[in-house]
C-alpha cells in the first residue's frame, strides 16, 4: 500500500514536477494583467520567471495575444520587468501566416490595428479566407459584417481564428475575447473555424518541437482552464491552473476539464515545482 501511495504522489501534483524537463507559461493572466499602458505585473511573477530560468528546466511562453506584433508585445513585457526574449514567445499570428502561405490563401483581416504589421508580407488582394483575432474595439457591426460578406461569398469559405477564448481580464475587469465573435461568424456562415492558437494541438506541438521535448515531459501553467489547461492535457501534457487572470471559482468544478493542480499564482506554482526538484 505504501508503494502504491508513493506512485500516486509521484504522478500527481506536485509530485510529477520531479520528471519535468520543460515548462510552458501563458502570459496574460499569469504573468501580468493587461490594461492601460503596459498593464500590471501580477505580484511574484517577475521573480518566478527568474527562478525558472535559473533552474534546469526549459521555458517557453505560449499566448493567444493578438493585439500587437510579437516584438512590441515582448518589449512591453520587458518594460514590466520580465526576462523574456522574442524567440521564447509563441503567439498565433506567425503560425497563421505560415498556414495561409502554405495553402496559397489570401486573407481578409479582422484583427487589432496593432497586429496588422505582422501581415505586411501576406497577399491580401481578392481574399479567399478570413483571419479573425482579438480586434477589441474594432469588433464593430460594420467590420464583422464585412468579414461575413467575404465568407458568405466564397464557394468554400475558410475562417481562421487566432484563439477561441471567451473572455480575458484587464485591469478594469473582464473583456469579451475573440471566441465570441468567431462563434457569430460560424453561425452566420454555417461553417467551423480553424483555430490557430490555444487549444489547438498543432499549436502546442509547435512549442514542444521548439523545445525538443515530448508532451509527458512538459507542464503548461495558465489561467484559462479550457484553452490552457485542457488544451495542454489533450496534447499529452500536464496542466496547472492559477487563481489569477480569468480564473473563476467555478473552474474547479468544471464538467469536462480538471486541472492537474490549482495554485494561487505563478509564484506558488514555481516554488512547488522547484522544491520537488531540490532547488
Amino acid at each position: 500500500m505504501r508503494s502504491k501511495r508513493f506512485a500516486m504522489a509521484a504522478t500527481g501534483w506536485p509530485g510529477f514536477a520531479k520528471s519535468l524537463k520543460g515548462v510552458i507559461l501563458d502570459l496574460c493572466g499569469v504573468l501580468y494583467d493587461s490594461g492601460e499602458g503596459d498593464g500590471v505585473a501580477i505580484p511574484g511573477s517577475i521573480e518566478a520567471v527568474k527562478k525558472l530560468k535559473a533552474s534546469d528546466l526549459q521555458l517557453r511562453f505560449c499566448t493567444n495575444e493578438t493585439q500587437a506584433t510579437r516584438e512590441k508585445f515582448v518589449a512591453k513585457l520587458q518594460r514590466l520587468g520580465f526576462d523574456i526574449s522574442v524567440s521564447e514567445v509563441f503567439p498565433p499570428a506567425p503560425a497563421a501566416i505560415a498556414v495561409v502561405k502554405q495553402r496559397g490563401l489570401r486573407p481578409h483581416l479582422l484583427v487589432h490595428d496593432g497586429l496588422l504589421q505582422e501581415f505586411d508580407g501576406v497577399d491580401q488582394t481578392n481574399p479567399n479566407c478570413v483571419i479573425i483575432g482579438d480586434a477589441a474595439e474594432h469588433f464593430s457591426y460594420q467590420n464583422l459584417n464585412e468579414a461575413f460578406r467575404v465568407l458568405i461569398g466564397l464557394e468554400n469559405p475558410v475562417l481562421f481564428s487566432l484563439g477561441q477564448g471567451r473572455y480575458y481580464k484587464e485591469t478594469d475587469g473582464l473583456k469579451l475575447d475573440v471566441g465570441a465573435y468567431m462563434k457569430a461568424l460560424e453561425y452566420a456562415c454555417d461553417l467551423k473555424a480553424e483555430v490557430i492558437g490555444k487549444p489547438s494541438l498543432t499549436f502546442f506541438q509547435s512549442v514542444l518541437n521548439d523545445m525538443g521535448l515530448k508532451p509527458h515531459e512538459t507542464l503548461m501553467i495558465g489561467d484559462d482552464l479550457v484553452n490552457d489547461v485542457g488544451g495542454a492535457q489533450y496534447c499529452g501534457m500536464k496542466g496547472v491552473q492559477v487563481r489569477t487572470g480569468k480564473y473563476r471559482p467555478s473552474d474547479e468544478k468544471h464538467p469536462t476539464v480538471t486541472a492537474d493542480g490549482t495554485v494561487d499564482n505563478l509564484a506558488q506554482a514555481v516554488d512547488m515545482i522547484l522544491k520537488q526538484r531540490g532547488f
Side-chain angles (χ1 to χ4, degrees):
M1 183 67 71
R2 182 178 300 172
S3 61
K4 183 178 180 180
R5 282 202 303 267
F6 177 80
M8 290 176 64
T11 56
W13 171 257
F16 61 71
K18 293 179 180 178
S19 62
L20 290 179
K21 293 184 179 179
V23 174
I24 302 173
L25 301 181
D26 179 33
L27 291 170
C28 183
V30 177
L31 270 62
Y32 78 108
D33 285 325
S34 63
E36 192 172 336
D38 290 335
V40 178
I42 294 171
S45 59
I46 295 173
E47 185 62 29
V49 171
K50 289 179 181 177
K51 289 179 179 178
L52 282 175
K53 289 208 163 188
S55 74
D56 60 343
L57 292 165
Q58 289 200 60
L59 179 62
R60 297 292 187 277
F61 303 89
C62 188
T63 178
N64 277 359
E65 166 65 38
T66 57
Q67 289 194 8
T69 64
R70 180 163 49 171
E71 288 75 15
K72 289 181 179 178
F73 181 51
V74 170
K76 175 179 74 172
L77 294 170
Q78 291 171 344
R79 288 194 297 271
L80 287 173
F82 291 101
D83 177 15
I84 296 177
S85 62
V86 170
S87 62
E88 297 170 320
V89 176
F90 288 77
I97 291 168
V99 170
V100 296
K101 286 186 173 181
Q102 180 183 13
R103 289 163 60 173
L105 296 172
R106 303 177 302 278
H108 169 83
L109 301 176
L110 178 48
V111 301
H112 197 278
D113 283 351
L115 194 66
L116 290 174
Q117 186 180 336
E118 287 270 18
F119 294 89
D120 281 349
V122 178
D123 184 2
Q124 299 168 43
T125 59
N126 190 24
N128 55 6
C129 70
V130 168
I131 295 178
I132 183 174
D134 178 17
E137 65 272 12
H138 299 292
F139 277 133
S140 65
Y141 175 81
Q142 180 180 349
N143 289 341
L144 276 167
N145 199 53
E146 189 176 357
F148 160 74
R149 285 177 170 177
V150 170
L151 290 168
I152 207 71
L154 295 170
E155 183 176 351
N156 297 300
V158 179
L159 172 62
F160 296 104
S161 186
L162 306 182
Q164 63 178 24
R166 296 177 178 177
Y167 54 85
Y168 57 93
K169 184 183 179 185
E170 289 197 343
T171 51
D172 62 348
L174 298 177
K175 302 290 179 73
L176 276 176
D177 203 351
V178 62
Y181 304 96
M182 176 196 83
K183 287 295 183 181
L185 290 174
E186 282 186 335
Y187 179 71
C189 301
D190 192 23
L191 55 72
K192 184 71 175 174
E194 297 182 37
V195 177
I196 299 178
K198 297 174 293 186
S200 162
L201 178 66
T202 304
F203 189 60
F204 276 119
Q205 189 60 53
S206 69
V207 185
L208 291 171
N209 291 345
D210 185 72
M211 300 170 84
L213 298 180
K214 297 177 180 177
H216 70 269
E217 299 173 323
T218 314
L219 167 68
M220 174 78 202
I221 302 176
D223 65 323
D224 187 321
L225 182 69
V226 174
N227 294 307
D228 292 338
V229 174
Q233 290 174 332
Y234 183 74
C235 186
M237 293 186 277
K238 300 288 189 181
V240 167
Q241 186 182 24
V242 291
R243 296 188 181 97
T244 55
K246 68 168 61 174
Y247 164 85
R248 315 298 289 168
S250 58
D251 289 345
E252 297 187 49
K253 298 178 182 178
H254 195 277
T256 59
V257 181
T258 302
D260 292 289
T262 307
V263 294
D264 288 339
N265 49 43
L266 178 62
Q268 185 183 65
V270 170
D271 285 345
M272 293 172 75
I273 290 168
L274 297 182
K275 182 178 179 180
Q276 287 289 320
R277 301 179 66 81
F279 277 83

